[in-house]
Amino acid sequence: MLRHSLLTRVRHMMRSKALIAALTAAALLPNAAVGQGTPPGAQAPAAQSAPAPKHQTAAPPANGQPPAADGQAGPAAKPATPKVPVSEALQTLRDRLDAIKADLESREKAISGQNVGAGDLTRARDGLDPLADRLRSVIELLGPRLEAARERLTQIGPKPKEGEEGEEVARERAEREQAVNDIDGTQRLAKSLLVQSDQIVDQISNRRRAAFTRGLFERSSSLLSPDLWMRVAADIPRDLSSLRSGVDDTVSLFRRNGTLWNLLVLGLAFGLSFALYFGRRNIAPALGRRDINVTTPSKRAKLLGAWRVLLLGTLPALAGSYAVYYALDVTELLPARFLPVASIILGGIAFIAFVEATADALLAVNKPAWRPAPVSDAAAWRINALAVSIAVVITVSKSTEALNSAIYAALPISIATRGIGAVTAALLLAIGLHRFADTAEKEEECFGPYVGTDTSANIGGPLRLLGWVAVAVIAVAPFVGYVALSAFLVDQLIWSASVLVLLWLLIMSVDVLIGGSLCEETRLATTLQANTGLRKRSLNQIAVLVTGFGRVVLIAVAALLTLAPWGLDSTDVFSSIRTAFFGFKVGDVTISLSSIAYGIGILGVGVFITRGVQRWLENTYLPATDLDAGLRNSISTVAGYVGFLVALALSFSYLGLSLEKLTIVAGALSVGIGFGLQSIVNNFVSGLLLLWERPIRVGDQVLIGDSEGIVKRISVRSTEIQTFDRSAVIVPNSNLISGIVKNRVRGDRTGRVILSVSVLRSKDPVQAAEMMVACAKAHPDVLKEPPPRVVFKKIGDPFLEFELVAMVVDVNLGQKVQSDLNFSVFKALADAEFIPPMGPASSFITVQGLEPVRDALGQIAHAVGSSATQVIAPAASGADDARRSSAPEETAPRNPANESQDVNRRRHG
């Protein structure tokens, strides 16, 4: 009893001491373990006012010495700092981490054995991602708490090297150090467990890849080996006996479970399956609504018809096969080992139906006008026959393999059946490729260049070469002992072809059904324009983005489906994508795509708000002030720059880029600039200004010095301008910023055309101006506002000079419009006789003040004409006598005086 009472008293004393220590620590530093709570000074009065116990029983010393007697002064010993217990929240986190650690250790132990199967790897892999997510959340949760605890410890300052610090300060430092150590230890444990989970994932992936490679390249007996066929012949009787035993089991099970209800259910399943297959073969083509009389259906109609044929040909077959399998499973009329055989056979029948429906949907053998695939009629028929034949061979081969597994057939028979199936599929592929190589008959010239023949199947080049390589590998592999590789390649070839065909159909559907609905004049596009105010160009951009995003998603899914049978686990893929999105490390740098996206989003929102404030200043506030236009523009520009810098700073702070790091980068750049990079930096900054302020844009027509052309590209160093003679001019950006640049399309792309027209002075100028304006208004590229106008430039002799000024919709159309207006104005004025006709008479020269010269020239001409008449007269008389003698009848004699006068008149003109 005495011993029991002493032990009881000791326990009470220890409990009271622990309780007092905990209360003291809580009073001095509440929540110190997690780095939170009120400062210790706030609880000091409460701690001082707590009454001390009057009687305390000292614990016996640990060294075995007797305690000091009452009234005797013992040695002055430094009181030990009480240990603060871990907070409840931190202890809960540690308990969770301990549970996760035990789970990870059990998983690691499960995959560390020698005989680990695929099921063990799958069970070990399942649930690892949620564990990793919980560990990441714990690490993120403890990060701010650890920073706060370290900040509090830093506030105390370093421990003095000389002298002793106060008892309160020492106790405070010990408590805060303990809090930092507790939180840091918990976070380190979470990080180590996260690394352990990643290592387990890597081990599982490596084991899966090793098992897949080992099974794929495992060498067996060759189909050319006589030993294989001898063993097959020896094992056939045993396998036939096993097959008869399975049939007997099926008959006995059918007799035992063949109740009326089970037979009714099975009969209904077979009847439903037959009805679905019959409807698929006879009713589905009519419901496909591909009228043979329609010769030019649209792409949208073709794709919708293809989807109807595909779905109506596939879904009934799947439903019928599933109904029969479900009935066999529920009624238990088939042994459990033969259920996989039934599943393979029914699935194969559904697969054949899917291949037929896909070929009919895409190839439309009997309806070429409704064919979405760009192939000829001969190619469509051949592809259809080849696809259905290969589907039948694959179904028979898989059904035989399932039957061998059900009857536990010998390994040589399994090898032989798989090899024969792979070789048969390779032969069918070879026949198809050979028929695709059939060419249309075409005579070649004896002398001249070689003309390639046209293939009737539209399949050639790398695709056919790849097909021949696959056929060669599939056909040769069984004969050298790699039957598993050959069968796997056949399966993957069929699987990849199915995935690619569906991918092509889905991409075409996205482009036509979604992109076409937004780009074309459809009801959806009209509704969006009316309700949202979007322009047609904006809808086109949205359509391009949507179709591009759809293509990326479809291609990614198709890639995953294609690579899945090659040992690629979708869980690992999605885990890698998530890790890349939420953060991955390159050395000591953590790159997080999500943080980058959020940072860009913050920058975009900041720029959007800045633009809104800028527009409010420009349009609402500043016009209401008395400031001049230049100052208002400066205020608006400075506000835009300040807003952009603030948004950029917020974005950088979210990404974790401090100003110190940016200062280091700026210092390095300043050193480089000081060593001779002024020109490059000048062009770089000028390029940034061009891209930000956009005084010139890509597509603008600019004039720089003697070069005029279209801006093709603006980079951070130079700008490329293409002149009208197709030459490229590279202009440094600093020249565009500091030099004079004439931008013809800065505000808008409208241009001005000026025509100089001269009209006869005798015509009505008002009517001439109206005719020219009418010609300009009739041109489709001339703007109605501002309207064309005519400027009366000069009143001349004999012409009136006008200028026709017209605004065109695009400055690039200026020369074309000017040429067209010249033709139309000339025709209109010439028809109205406002301009003289073409020819010498169309030019008039009026010379004034030369009348004396004209008179003198006339007198000289008269004198010269008189002397010439006297010389020519005798000769003229002789000529007249000759004419009179030669003429038999002369009515009257000629007068010489009259002849002389005629000569003089001709001389004077």
Side-chain angles (χ1 to χ4, degrees):
M1 294 296 293
L2 180 60
R3 181 180 179 183
H4 178 72
S5 61
L6 289 175
L7 290 175
T8 304
R9 292 184 63 185
V10 171
R11 291 194 189 99
H12 283 295
M13 289 168 58
M14 296 298 294
R15 290 177 182 174
S16 62
K17 286 186 176 183
L19 179 61
I20 291 172
L23 291 176
T24 304
L28 292 174
L29 186 62
N31 297 328
V34 293
Q36 295 179 357
T38 57
Q43 300 291 338
Q48 293 174 2
S49 62
K54 295 181 180 180
H55 301 283
Q56 291 184 356
T57 304
N63 56 6
Q65 296 180 357
D70 294 341
Q72 295 180 0
K78 185 176 181 179
T81 303
K83 184 177 181 180
V84 181
V86 180
S87 66
E88 184 178 355
L90 195 60
Q91 187 63 40
T92 303
L93 288 178
R94 287 187 176 180
D95 294 339
R96 292 179 182 177
L97 293 179
D98 292 337
I100 293 175
K101 181 179 180 180
D103 189 4
L104 292 177
E105 290 178 352
S106 63
R107 293 173 185 267
E108 194 170 11
K109 184 178 180 180
I111 64 174
S112 60
Q114 295 294 333
N115 300 322
V116 179
D120 298 332
L121 295 177
T122 302
R123 285 189 295 271
R125 181 66 177 82
D126 293 340
L128 278 178
D129 291 334
L131 289 179
D133 292 339
R134 278 187 281 175
L135 291 173
R136 292 188 184 94
S137 63
V138 169
I139 294 172
E140 293 177 359
L141 177 65
L142 294 178
R145 296 185 179 183
L146 181 61
E147 293 296 330
R150 287 175 176 172
E151 182 66 23
R152 292 187 177 187
L153 181 60
T154 306
Q155 295 298 325
I156 299 178
K159 188 175 181 180
K161 297 181 179 180
E162 298 179 357
E164 295 183 357
E165 59 182 355
E167 180 180 353
E168 294 294 335
V169 177
R171 183 169 59 250
E172 184 75 16
R173 176 180 286 106
E175 291 172 355
R176 295 192 177 186
E177 286 178 352
Q178 180 182 351
V180 170
N181 294 333
D182 291 339
I183 300 174
D184 185 53
T186 305
Q187 191 181 46
R188 289 176 181 272
L189 177 60
K191 291 181 179 180
S192 65
L193 293 178
L194 182 60
V195 172
Q196 184 179 2
S197 67
D198 294 337
Q199 292 176 351
I200 294 174
V201 171
D202 294 338
Q203 292 178 12
I204 294 174
S205 301
N206 294 333
R207 281 185 170 269
R208 282 177 173 174
R209 283 191 291 268
F212 172 77
T213 305
R214 185 171 57 254
L216 187 62
F217 292 98
E218 184 178 3
R219 190 169 184 179
S220 59
S221 300
S222 171
L223 291 183
L224 298 177
S225 175
D227 182 63
L228 174 66
W229 297 106
M230 291 176 63
R231 286 186 295 167
V232 168
D235 292 332
I236 284 178
R238 187 185 68 82
D239 291 342
L240 290 177
S241 176
S242 179
L243 179 60
R244 284 193 296 270
S245 176
V247 173
D248 294 338
D249 293 343
T250 304
V251 173
S252 62
L253 189 62
F254 193 87
R255 289 175 180 175
R256 184 170 63 251
N257 296 335
T259 61
L260 179 62
W261 173 254
N262 289 340
L263 294 177
L264 180 60
V265 171
L266 188 61
L268 288 175
F270 274 100
L272 177 62
S273 178
F274 177 77
L276 289 174
Y277 273 93
F278 178 80
R280 171 191 165 275
R281 295 296 297 243
N282 298 277
I283 301 175
L287 296 178
R289 291 185 292 178
R290 296 198 293 187
D291 191 0
I292 196 172
N293 296 323
V294 179
T295 58
T296 57
S298 62
K299 288 185 178 181
R300 183 185 182 89
K302 288 182 182 180
L303 288 173
L304 291 177
W307 278 112
R308 285 192 296 265
V309 171
L310 177 60
L311 296 177
L312 292 174
T314 304
L315 295 181
L318 290 175
S321 298
Y322 179 77
V324 174
Y325 176 78
Y326 181 77
L328 291 174
D329 188 18
V330 171
T331 58
E332 297 182 355
L333 295 176
L334 196 66
R337 58 176 177 160
F338 285 106
L339 276 178
V341 181
S343 173
I344 293 296
I345 294 174
L346 294 173
I349 295 173
F351 176 68
I352 295 173
F354 163 74
V355 172
E356 289 182 347
T358 304
D360 189 16
L362 297 180
L363 302 176
V365 176
N366 298 323
K367 300 175 181 179
W370 290 89
R371 183 178 302 148
V375 295
S376 62
D377 294 340
W381 185 86
R382 291 173 181 176
I383 293 174
N384 189 10
L386 176 64
V388 175
S389 301
I390 292 179
V392 172
V393 170
I394 293 298
T395 301
V396 173
S397 177
K398 293 298 179 183
S399 302
T400 306
E401 292 178 14
L403 182 61
N404 291 336
S405 300
I407 64 176
Y408 306 105
L411 180 60
I413 293 181
S414 299
I415 292 174
T417 52
R418 293 186 70 184
I420 292 173
V423 171
T424 306
L427 288 177
L428 287 176
L429 287 173
I431 293 172
L433 291 174
H434 177 69
R435 298 191 67 182
F436 289 150
D438 291 342
T439 55
E441 296 182 358
K442 187 173 183 179
E443 296 181 356
E444 297 184 12
E445 299 292 341
C446 296
F447 300 99
Y450 170 75
V451 179
T453 54
D454 297 331
T455 59
S456 60
N458 294 334
I459 296 178
L463 184 61
R464 190 162 60 227
L465 179 61
L466 182 62
W468 279 114
V469 172
V471 166
V473 174
I474 293 172
V476 172
F479 295 106
V480 295
Y482 294 100
V483 177
L485 176 62
S486 179
F488 176 78
L489 290 179
V490 170
D491 296 342
Q492 296 317 302
L493 187 62
I494 303 302
W495 171 251
S496 301
S498 303
V499 171
L500 291 178
V501 167
L502 291 179
L503 174 64
W504 181 84
L505 183 58
L506 288 171
I507 288 177
M508 291 294 295
S509 302
V510 168
D511 291 342
V512 175
L513 300 181
I514 298 180
S517 299
L518 294 177
C519 294
E520 300 174 357
E521 296 295 338
T522 59
R523 181 179 301 178
L524 176 61
T526 305
T527 303
L528 289 176
Q529 289 181 3
N531 295 330
T532 62
L534 294 173
R535 297 178 300 173
K536 189 174 181 180
R537 180 178 298 177
S538 301
L539 287 179
N540 293 339
Q541 295 174 357
I542 294 174
V544 171
L545 293 176
V546 171
T547 54
F549 178 76
R551 280 173 175 259
V552 171
V553 172
L554 291 175
I555 292 174
V557 173
L560 290 177
L561 292 176
T562 304
L563 297 176
W566 294 83
L568 181 64
D569 193 359
S570 60
T571 306
D572 297 337
V573 174
F574 290 124
S575 177
S576 301
I577 294 174
R578 181 173 52 188
T579 303
F581 184 74
F582 289 104
F584 60 94
K585 284 191 174 182
V586 179
D588 295 334
V589 180
T590 301
I591 300 175
S592 175
L593 298 181
S594 61
S595 299
I596 295 174
Y598 289 144
I600 294 175
I602 292 174
L603 180 61
V605 172
V607 171
F608 178 77
I609 296 175
T610 301
R611 292 290 180 86
V613 172
Q614 220 174 353
R615 284 193 295 269
W616 177 76
L617 289 174
E618 293 174 354
N619 302 327
T620 305
Y621 178 72
L622 292 178
T625 63
D626 296 334
L627 302 176
D628 59 279
L631 186 56
R632 292 202 299 265
N633 184 38
S634 300
I635 293 174
S636 175
T637 305
V638 170
Y641 287 145
V642 170
F644 176 76
L645 292 177
V646 170
L648 191 64
L650 293 176
S651 178
F652 281 165
S653 64
Y654 183 83
L655 293 176
L657 298 177
S658 61
L659 294 179
E660 297 177 356
K661 298 178 180 179
L662 296 179
T663 304
I664 294 174
V665 175
L669 289 177
S670 63
V671 173
I673 293 171
F675 278 103
L677 299 179
Q678 295 93 341
S679 177
I680 296 176
V681 173
N682 187 13
N683 290 323
F684 177 77
V685 175
S686 301
L688 295 180
L689 292 176
L690 288 176
L691 294 174
W692 175 251
E693 294 184 353
R694 303 181 69 191
I696 61 173
R697 298 160 294 184
V698 174
D700 289 356
Q701 182 176 343
V702 297
L703 175 62
I704 304 174
D706 298 334
S707 301
E708 182 175 4
I710 306 298
V711 178
K712 289 298 181 181
R713 186 173 64 90
I714 300 176
S715 62
V716 294
R717 193 192 65 84
S718 61
T719 298
E720 179 182 350
I721 299 174
Q722 187 177 30
T723 61
F724 298 112
D725 58 355
R726 312 299 293 177
S727 300
V729 179
I730 308 300
V731 181
N733 291 330
S734 58
N735 294 354
L736 300 178
I737 293 297
S738 59
I740 299 176
V741 181
K742 183 176 182 181
N743 192 342
R744 299 187 184 275
V745 292
R746 179 66 181 93
D748 52 19
R749 298 196 63 85
T750 58
R752 187 175 68 168
V753 174
I754 300 177
L755 273 72
S756 298
V757 182
S758 298
V759 179
L760 290 175
R761 183 172 180 176
S762 60
K763 303 299 180 179
D764 185 7
V766 177
Q767 186 179 0
E770 292 176 352
M771 294 172 65
M772 287 185 281
V773 170
C775 292
K777 288 183 177 180
H779 199 282
D781 294 328
V782 174
L783 293 176
K784 306 301 179 183
E785 288 293 335
R789 58 190 179 91
V790 174
V791 179
F792 198 162
K793 296 288 292 185
K794 183 180 179 182
I795 302 175
D797 186 15
F799 292 106
L800 305 177
E801 296 181 5
F802 298 88
E803 280 189 356
L804 174 60
V805 182
M807 305 299 294
V808 294
V809 295
D810 196 331
V811 68
N812 294 330
L813 301 175
Q815 293 184 351
K816 175 182 176 297
V817 173
Q818 186 174 14
S819 176
D820 295 342
L821 290 181
N822 278 327
F823 280 112
S824 59
V825 169
F826 176 79
K827 186 177 184 304
L829 296 179
D831 292 343
E833 297 182 353
F834 274 59
I835 57 178
M838 297 181 63
S842 62
S843 299
F844 295 88
I845 300 176
T846 302
V847 182
Q848 297 180 357
L850 297 179
E851 288 80 1
V853 177
R854 182 186 58 186
D855 296 341
L857 290 175
Q859 294 177 2
I860 294 172
H862 179 72
V864 173
S866 299
S867 60
T869 302
Q870 296 175 2
V871 175
I872 296 173
S877 300
D880 291 339
D881 294 340
R883 282 196 299 271
R884 281 195 299 267
S885 62
S886 62
E889 295 180 356
E890 186 67 31
T891 56
R894 292 183 178 270
N895 190 357
N898 293 336
E899 292 178 0
S900 176
Q901 292 178 359
D902 293 337
V903 171
N904 291 332
R905 282 198 296 270
R906 287 195 297 269
R907 292 289 185 183
H908 290 286

